[in-house]
Amino acid sequence: MATTQSTQIGGLGYAVKRKEDPRFIRGKGTYVDDVKLPGMLYLDIVRSPLAHARITQIDASKALAMPGVVAVITGKDLEAAGLAWMPTLMGDRQMVLPTDRVVYYAQEVAAVVAEDRYTAADAVLAIDVEYEPLEPVVDPFRALQPDAPLVRPDREQKTNHIWHWEAGDKEATDRVFQEAEVVVAQDLYIPRIHVSSIETCGCVASFDRVSGKLTIWMTSQAPHAHRTVFSLVSGIPETKIRVISPDIGGGFGGKVPVYPGYVLATVASLQTGRPVKWIEDRSENLQADSFARDYHIHAEVAATRDGKMRALRVRTVADHGAFDAAANPSKFPAGLFSIGTGSYDLEAAHFSVDGVYTNKAPGGVAYRCSFRVTEAVHMIERMVDVLADELDMDPAEIRFKNFIQPEQFPYKSPTGWEYDSGNYPAALQKALDAIGYQELRREQAEKRARGELMGIGISTFTEIVGAGPSHTFDILGIKMFDSAEIRVHPTGSALVRIGVQTQGQGHETTFAQIVAEELGLPVENIVVEHGDTDTAPYGLGTYGSRSTPTAGAATAVAARKIREKARLLPRPTCWRSTRTIWSGATTPSASRARPSAPRR
Amino acid sequence: MRTVPISVTVNGEVRQAAVEPRLLLVHFIREVLGLTGTHIGCDTTSCGACTIHLNGKPVKSCTVFAVQADGAEIRTVEGLEQDGRLHPVQEGFWQEHGLQCGFCTPGMMMTAVALLEANPNPDEAEIRRAISGNLCRCTGYVNIVKAIRYAAEKMRQPEVAPAVAGGGED
Ligand code: FES
Ligand code: FES
């Protein structure tokens, strides 16, 4: 596919220095905490020192008497405005501030608004909160016992069990297990982790009382989706809300959830008519922002004695913390966990997952490769190794033996996923050749003979990414499409606006390259904008490796439409580029459109 | 609120202000002087996003009071580019893809500049030791090391025709 032209214009597959870097290497990025507005106030948060407690009293009088303190917001204040709770993306609800009890350590208890950061921090210490400690439950298995403390008495169901979900055919799977020659089983705990982007979360909310418009600069991986949530929570129409996600210091899924701090800053701005900034400390970020994983998995594989896997049975307890606020845009409560048959051809599989509340910060951030796929991949790959161990087989050999074969595609997995294409044996063979697998095994044998330890690990990986197709993905009924808007100016430069939002991925470069490739315009003449809901087209944001597959595809499709249209028009005389969509020397091939050859 | 007058030379310019004794230097730089290239990534002196030069030494400005900098020379990321010419370390980070989100980058570059001023030809281990107080959550450090090596090489070369700072968009 390489053409000289692609090199010259910096199209796909060519090294281009990043277009966003000139501002970053000069310290001229604009991250949320760099936003400073006239009259801006600062919000800081009182957090719970207990994982589970009844709040008996909040005394803010000392704080309110401090010079520079403008307001204190408690759950009772929010309750009066109908804002004490907010909906989560998983159909649950979450406290913005508690009215009677805290349900995890470092949970938001009250907010202070002051003229500056230091005063706000002082005022936080001056607020007296009385707690009556309750027994916390932090182990999900304990939480499922009938006498366990109830995490969420606000719900109708008086249990810590949130949901039960299954995929695959239970009967068929159990049948294979009954007659199997070999069964291996393993408990796997994928621990709770924090994504810990280097920039913490925060926002500047600014409500203009004259126009009635609310502008929020926020650390958002999904500015449009967040605008929709803000509109649903506040009742302000989306036309009167502008979310701006400026430069973002890393996201890793942690900037998908809506945190109470965003809502509190917004309430404070609505109340005071002044801009309000809230920026988390790192300690707050690590304690109270949503976590990822926390899956307790019990997996079993049924196989033949010669190492052919026949069925997979997986039971999982998913610890979601105190609110089911997972950042999961799939239609399934356990995300894409049922992709866990991986790269292997099985007769049957069955997955069941039970979501559980505990007294911990919310879980379910999609850290690294989308929604429960990491958990699924770890589980199946571990199980293949466990089986290999049991049968004393080479881990590569057992994988070759069980791969879906190239001629089986399109392949329907026992949990219902359709795999369109692939050649797994060739891919693994290539990887083994590249690392000199046989040689490594020899080296290992020698070292072991000398009493030295050397390990070799193998893993294969079939991932489902690009949250897009609406048969599988959805947020709030919006589906998971994405968008691009392209304007080509008369002199041959282009402005591209996209619905996804970079947090370091380099969209301003990658998407410019896509347009360069499609339109034959040099990459330096293409400017990519994103993150401002007033100017960017609606999109569902960046997470789960979805930006290029969805918005990238939208960008290419839009560019192709422009190219076709341009062919019908005379070239403007002011056009400066020599390699243009107007040159029309060749028509794109049927299989893959490519910019036409340079011509003067 | 008691304030103390201080005078600091920042990127070659004398700046004076009356500050609260407890004001952190990083807040002084960001909020009083408006130089927001210096970032804050933690509250435990762990991340190094706030690294600046205080009298030529790289320090974490979140862990120094502004009053302690009275009379000092400070250099921040904004002071790296000279007369429209990028510092070789800035060039290196751009050339070698030494950044993704860019949040750690100013602090990382200030540490790198201090290293190269003290040791013009560091090996990989020395580079890694020098940046061990700076966390990058995105890149995995490999390209950061490359970027610093690129800069080291560039700085050791005799001065030729000045490279013009790039980065003009459209
Ligand atoms: S902000 Fe100074 S070390 Fe993290
Ligand atoms: S580039 Fe994001 S933390 Fe270093």
Side-chain angles (χ1 to χ4, degrees):
Chain A
M1 72 172 256
T3 62
T4 337
Q5 184 175 15
S6 296
T7 332
Q8 289 162 357
I9 63 173
L12 290 181
Y14 293 90
V16 169
K17 285 210 283 181
R18 294 206 320 169
K19 291 164 75 69
E20 36 277 272
D21 289 356
R23 65 177 185 274
F24 293 144
I25 55 174
R26 288 177 172 90
K28 296 289 184 197
T30 305
Y31 300 89
V32 171
D33 199 13
D34 302 339
V35 174
K36 192 174 181 179
L37 302 179
M40 191 166 77
L41 299 168
Y42 290 80
L43 182 138
D44 207 340
I45 292 174
V46 179
R47 293 178 182 274
S48 170
L50 298 169
H52 198 191
R54 202 167 284 124
I55 297 173
T56 52
Q57 205 203 325
I58 300 179
D59 180 359
S61 53
K62 268 187 275 166
L64 283 166
M66 291 167 68
V69 172
V70 176
V72 171
I73 305 170
T74 64
K76 295 278 184 219
D77 304 327
L78 293 182
E79 194 175 35
L83 288 172
W85 293 82
M86 60 181 177
T88 73
L89 296 175
M90 297 300 293
D92 193 4
R93 59 182 202 147
Q94 178 174 0
M95 292 178 203
V96 177
L97 288 179
T99 51
D100 66 332
R101 62 177 59 224
V102 285
V103 286
Y104 57 91
Y105 177 80
Q107 188 187 340
E108 297 79 357
V109 172
V112 176
V113 186
E115 294 289 344
D116 68 274
R117 238 183 250 269
Y118 285 57
T119 307
D122 287 343
V124 161
L125 300 176
I127 293 184
D128 283 325
V129 185
E130 270 173 36
Y131 300 95
E132 193 183 293
L134 298 170
E135 187 195 336
V137 56
V138 292
D139 174 64
F141 295 97
R142 165 79 184 113
L144 287 173
Q145 288 166 0
D147 65 335
L150 192 60
V151 178
R152 293 285 303 280
D154 61 290
R155 293 165 80 234
E156 222 168 89
Q157 309 89 308
K158 300 298 172 207
T159 154
N160 292 321
H161 184 256
I162 317 174
W163 41 256
H164 175 81
W165 175 77
E166 293 186 22
D169 185 335
K170 182 167 177 1
E171 246 170 66
T173 306
D174 289 347
R175 238 185 350 258
V176 177
F177 270 88
Q178 265 158 25
E179 60 181 47
E181 294 169 5
V182 182
V183 170
V184 289
Q186 183 95 352
D187 285 319
L188 304 159
Y189 176 44
I190 319 255
R192 176 168 264 244
I193 58 147
H194 197 281
V195 303
S196 197
S197 55
I198 194 132
E199 179 202 35
T200 60
C201 293
C203 70
V204 177
S206 178
F207 181 66
D208 181 335
R209 282 187 175 162
V210 177
S211 62
K213 185 148 179 172
L214 173 67
T215 304
I216 312 167
W217 287 260
M218 66 186 273
T219 44
S220 169
Q221 292 181 229
H224 284 98
H226 284 153
R227 185 185 65 181
T228 303
V229 172
F230 271 90
S231 177
L232 291 173
V233 173
S234 67
I236 303 173
E238 281 178 279
T239 44
K240 294 273 188 194
I241 302 177
R242 177 183 188 187
V243 173
I244 301 172
S245 185
D247 291 322
I248 299 298
F252 310 107
K255 289 170 181 170
V256 177
V258 175
Y259 296 115
Y262 299 133
V263 180
L264 291 169
T266 303
V267 169
S269 182
L270 289 168
Q271 238 175 48
T272 59
R274 290 168 67 179
V276 177
K277 179 184 272 189
W278 163 68
I279 304 287
E280 275 173 344
D281 292 342
R282 169 64 60 200
S283 307
E284 300 181 281
N285 168 269
L286 289 175
Q287 290 168 2
D289 283 7
S290 295
F291 285 75
R293 301 183 183 156
D294 221 348
Y295 259 33
H296 298 258
I297 302 170
H298 179 79
E300 300 162 280
V301 169
T304 63
R305 214 162 277 119
D306 61 354
K308 177 80 192 82
M309 298 196 309
R310 298 188 55 201
L312 172 70
R313 196 159 56 187
V314 182
R315 273 183 291 121
T316 293
V317 170
D319 187 342
H320 278 253
F323 305 109
D324 190 11
N328 164 20
S330 79
K331 289 183 174 171
F332 319 112
L336 310 175
F337 191 53
S338 64
I339 196 72
T341 54
S343 319
Y344 310 105
D345 180 25
L346 302 176
E347 286 165 49
H350 183 252
F351 286 68
S352 71
V353 184
D354 289 279
V356 180
Y357 291 121
T358 57
N359 288 114
K360 295 190 221 167
V365 158
Y367 174 59
R368 289 269 193 266
C369 53
S370 62
F371 317 100
R372 305 300 186 187
V373 174
T374 319
E375 289 89 330
V377 171
H378 177 80
M379 177 274 301
I380 183 67
E381 290 303 305
R382 180 74 195 117
M383 291 316 294
V384 175
D385 281 351
V386 167
L387 180 65
D389 262 3
E390 172 75 20
L391 300 175
D392 205 16
M393 277 177 80
D394 180 276
E397 183 196 339
I398 198 166
R399 285 175 169 82
F400 280 119
K401 191 169 185 113
N402 287 286
F403 276 148
I404 302 163
Q405 294 303 308
E407 62 279 5
Q408 284 177 278
F409 293 98
Y411 172 85
K412 184 118 178 172
S413 85
T415 49
W417 296 104
E418 183 146 330
Y419 294 23
D420 59 359
S421 60
N423 188 339
Y424 303 157
L428 180 58
Q429 192 55 53
K430 202 169 176 182
L432 295 178
D433 293 345
I435 60 162
Y437 184 63
Q438 293 311 331
E439 190 45 44
L440 278 178
R441 283 285 175 209
R442 260 194 299 280
E443 187 185 333
Q444 182 187 43
E446 279 167 29
K447 286 199 166 143
R448 286 193 172 167
R450 288 202 302 268
E452 254 178 69
L453 294 179
M454 173 176 167
I456 300 172
I458 290 186
S459 179
T460 65
F461 195 154
T462 298
E463 190 185 11
I464 178 166
V465 295
S470 49
H471 50 71
T472 306
F473 298 98
D474 184 33
I475 286 183
L476 302 165
I478 305 167
K479 315 291 187 206
M480 293 296 292
F481 65 90
D482 230 287
S483 322
E485 233 177 61
I486 305 174
R487 298 174 192 196
V488 181
H489 303 309
T491 52
S493 58
L495 173 64
V496 183
R497 285 172 165 158
I498 51 178
V500 290
Q501 162 63 23
T502 183
Q503 314 113 43
Q505 292 89 342
H507 291 174
E508 290 163 44
T509 309
T510 309
F511 284 72
Q513 286 189 274
I514 293 172
V515 174
E517 179 78 18
E518 294 295 339
L519 293 188
L521 297 174
V523 78
E524 63 267 20
N525 288 1
I526 299 163
V527 170
V528 177
E529 291 182 359
H530 53 102
D532 182 340
T533 57
D534 263 12
T535 54
Y538 202 105
L540 275 305
T542 295
Y543 37 83
S545 309
R546 70 181 296 276
S547 285
T548 314
T550 53
T555 304
V557 169
R560 284 169 202 173
K561 285 190 176 161
I562 289 175
R563 190 180 56 209
E564 290 317 311
K565 202 168 165 188
R567 288 218 158 86
L568 305 173
L569 302 170
R571 180 212 289 224
T573 46
C574 59
W575 187 268
R576 284 207 248 113
S577 177
T578 52
R579 301 170 289 275
T580 77
I581 48 176
W582 265 279
S583 59
T586 57
T587 44
S589 72
S591 61
R592 186 171 174 282
R594 177 172 301 161
S596 50
R599 204 186 71 172
R600 184 103 271 210
Chain B
M1 181 181 65
R2 191 169 76 90
T3 59
V4 178
I6 60 167
S7 172
V8 188
T9 307
V10 180
N11 301 328
E13 231 181 275
V14 178
R15 309 289 297 259
Q16 291 167 326
V19 300
E20 233 189 304
R22 64 171 177 172
L23 182 71
L24 297 175
L25 182 57
V26 70
H27 285 138
F28 174 73
I29 291 170
R30 289 179 49 82
E31 289 171 20
V32 180
L33 305 183
L35 296 171
T36 54
T38 302
H39 297 147
I40 301 171
C42 71
D43 44 35
T44 48
T45 325
S46 306
C47 74
C50 62
T51 306
I52 52 126
H53 293 184
L54 184 69
N55 293 327
K57 289 217 169 62
V59 302
K60 293 179 173 178
S61 61
C62 69
T63 311
V64 179
F65 292 116
V67 290
Q68 291 176 284
D70 187 22
E73 292 258 355
I74 285 177
R75 194 178 184 196
T76 70
V77 64
E78 289 90 346
L80 289 182
E81 186 177 358
Q82 291 292 321
D83 307 323
R85 287 176 60 192
L86 291 177
H87 189 284
V89 167
Q90 291 174 303
E91 251 181 72
F93 272 74
W94 194 11
Q95 182 63 41
E96 297 293 336
H97 192 7
L99 60 149
Q100 289 180 26
C101 77
F103 199 84
C104 71
T105 311
M108 196 67 86
M109 291 195 306
M110 294 315 287
T111 298
V113 169
L115 166 70
L116 298 182
E117 281 170 359
N119 175 3
N121 192 11
D123 61 23
E124 173 161 351
E126 288 169 323
I127 293 175
R128 287 187 177 268
R129 201 173 316 124
I131 62 170
S132 61
N134 292 74
L135 299 180
C136 175
R137 183 66 184 84
C138 301
T139 63
Y141 303 101
V142 171
N143 287 357
I144 291 177
V145 172
K146 280 192 201 159
I148 297 171
R149 299 198 92 149
Y150 174 100
E153 201 158 307
K154 187 94 195 218
M155 285 165 78
R156 289 199 308 274
Q157 276 165 17
E159 188 95 6
V160 270
V164 176
E169 303 260 295
D170 201 353

